[in-house]
Amino acid sequence: MRVHHLNCGCMCPVGGRLMDGVSRGFAGQLVCHCLLVETDGGLVLVDTGFGTRDVERPYERLSPFFIHFNRIQFEHRYTALEQVRSRGFSPRDVRHIVLTHLDFDHAGGLEDFPEARVHVLQAEMEAAEMRRGFINRRRYRPEQWDEVRNWRFYERGGERWFGFEAVRDLDGLPPEILMIPLPGHTTGHAGVAIRTPEGWLLNAGDAYFYRHEMDPEPRCTPGLAAYQRMMEVDRPARLRNQERLRALANDRRSGVRTFCSHDAVELEALSRLSTGWRPI
């Protein structure tokens, strides 16, 4: 099983290092860290970032609030579709898409892979369909998935995985790929765990945003701390799950490598370690 780390979106919000911790200029840099997994049954995408239609018709698909707030850079090279092709694959080779959640910067490329089966927690789809409140009406964009026909929904309960509940036996997927419910950022938010020859990878999605939140003495940039508070639906659950993830990330015996969706430094490090491919 080979794992490719992809950057399927670039966002440059105002704030520089107050946002991402490293940028020296006016703007910070956030990525959309997705995975492309080669399995015996075809390719699996974990999240899709922004899609082709988002790039070509952003104001028909996305909220102007988030387009400008996040200063989204709309370029075809960042789409999962282009990055799958650049690695010598066809879009038809993508048989499954596993979503951490349905936010606009995670689900925008779903319709670029019309033959894929899409896996998500039931609670997330229910929240996305209701779209209650200012943020939820703008974060969930039905235009991004209204043509998807092959859905698989899952309840949050399951067997244990390093102290977390785990949804196993995902329909059509190998047993090495699990969904780990991590509510808080959204109601049906989940991490995705993948067992590789080098150990477990845990894509924690938006359960945290900044790499140093996983330090034994956690810290976060002011910009990302504020953004997480703005986007959360359940603060106690979000903070509780961050604490549990932190304990796992600092347990060397676990063999689990944890990363989030938007930290560019994490993406660069994992790209070098895992595949030899550098993110675009």
Side-chain angles (χ1 to χ4, degrees):
M1 183 178 292
R2 186 182 185 190
V3 178
H4 304 262
H5 294 266
L6 314 180
N7 179 12
C8 296
C10 180
M11 297 175 282
C12 299
V14 172
R17 68 185 307 165
L18 293 176
M19 182 64 70
D20 64 19
V22 293
S23 294
R24 295 183 179 180
F26 169 78
Q29 182 184 7
L30 303 179
V31 299
C32 293
H33 190 163
C34 302
L35 302 178
L36 180 67
V37 186
E38 297 182 43
T39 76
D40 292 339
L43 300 179
V44 179
L45 271 173
V46 179
D47 286 345
T48 67
F50 297 106
T52 301
R53 299 184 196 182
D54 297 330
V55 171
E56 295 172 351
R57 303 191 300 275
Y59 287 95
E60 294 178 17
R61 305 259 295 174
L62 303 173
S63 161
F65 173 79
F66 281 115
I67 289 174
H68 296 290
F69 188 91
N70 291 332
R71 299 182 71 236
I72 302 168
Q73 309 300 297
F74 292 108
E75 299 181 45
H76 281 285
R77 66 188 177 119
Y78 289 122
T79 65
L81 180 64
E82 288 301 313
Q83 297 199 45
V84 165
R85 287 173 171 164
S86 75
R87 285 161 171 79
F89 300 111
S90 163
R92 293 183 177 180
D93 295 328
V94 176
R95 307 293 177 79
H96 299 272
I97 299 173
V98 185
L99 293 175
T100 60
H101 59 304
L102 280 162
D103 271 357
F104 63 94
D105 52 341
H106 294 256
L110 287 176
E111 293 174 346
D112 288 336
F113 305 95
E115 298 181 29
R117 183 174 299 167
V118 181
H119 306 258
V120 69
L121 291 183
Q122 178 70 48
E124 182 68 3
M125 178 53 79
E126 291 173 356
E129 289 176 337
M130 288 187 289
R131 301 175 71 217
R132 292 177 178 169
F134 178 87
I135 293 296
N136 282 350
R137 287 195 301 272
R138 288 159 178 80
R139 78 189 312 166
Y140 293 128
R141 309 303 293 177
E143 298 88 344
Q144 292 181 321
W145 65 77
D146 58 4
E147 295 180 12
V148 176
R149 297 293 178 263
N150 195 356
W151 294 96
R152 293 295 185 274
F153 302 114
Y154 303 90
E155 299 299 326
R156 284 190 292 202
E159 301 177 30
R160 307 303 290 179
W161 180 84
F162 294 101
F164 292 84
E165 291 182 337
V167 181
R168 300 176 185 265
D169 300 321
L170 303 179
D171 186 16
L173 289 168
E176 293 84 5
I177 300 177
L178 316 175
M179 295 181 75
I180 313 297
L182 296 170
H185 177 70
T186 66
T187 302
H189 183 273
V192 179
I194 301 170
R195 189 167 193 168
T196 75
E198 293 76 32
W200 285 96
L201 281 174
L202 176 58
N203 180 343
D206 287 0
Y208 70 98
F209 275 62
Y210 184 56
R211 59 197 172 278
H212 290 302
E213 291 182 273
M214 293 295 102
D215 289 353
E217 297 183 6
R219 57 189 174 89
C220 187
T221 61
L224 289 180
Y227 191 80
Q228 290 183 81
R229 288 193 295 271
M230 180 179 76
M231 299 299 289
E232 69 192 7
V233 299
D234 187 336
R235 180 171 300 178
R238 180 176 69 84
L239 296 178
R240 183 168 58 251
N241 279 320
Q242 278 194 2
E243 184 176 353
R244 297 168 69 206
L245 288 169
R246 189 176 305 117
L248 179 61
N250 288 283
D251 182 358
R252 295 183 179 179
R253 299 168 300 174
S254 70
V256 178
R257 181 72 180 258
T258 302
F259 61 93
C260 67
S261 290
H262 299 299
D263 191 298
V265 173
E266 285 186 336
L267 174 60
E268 178 72 17
L270 280 163
S271 296
R272 289 179 174 180
L273 283 174
S274 298
T275 68
W277 284 86
R278 291 175 60 84
I280 296 175

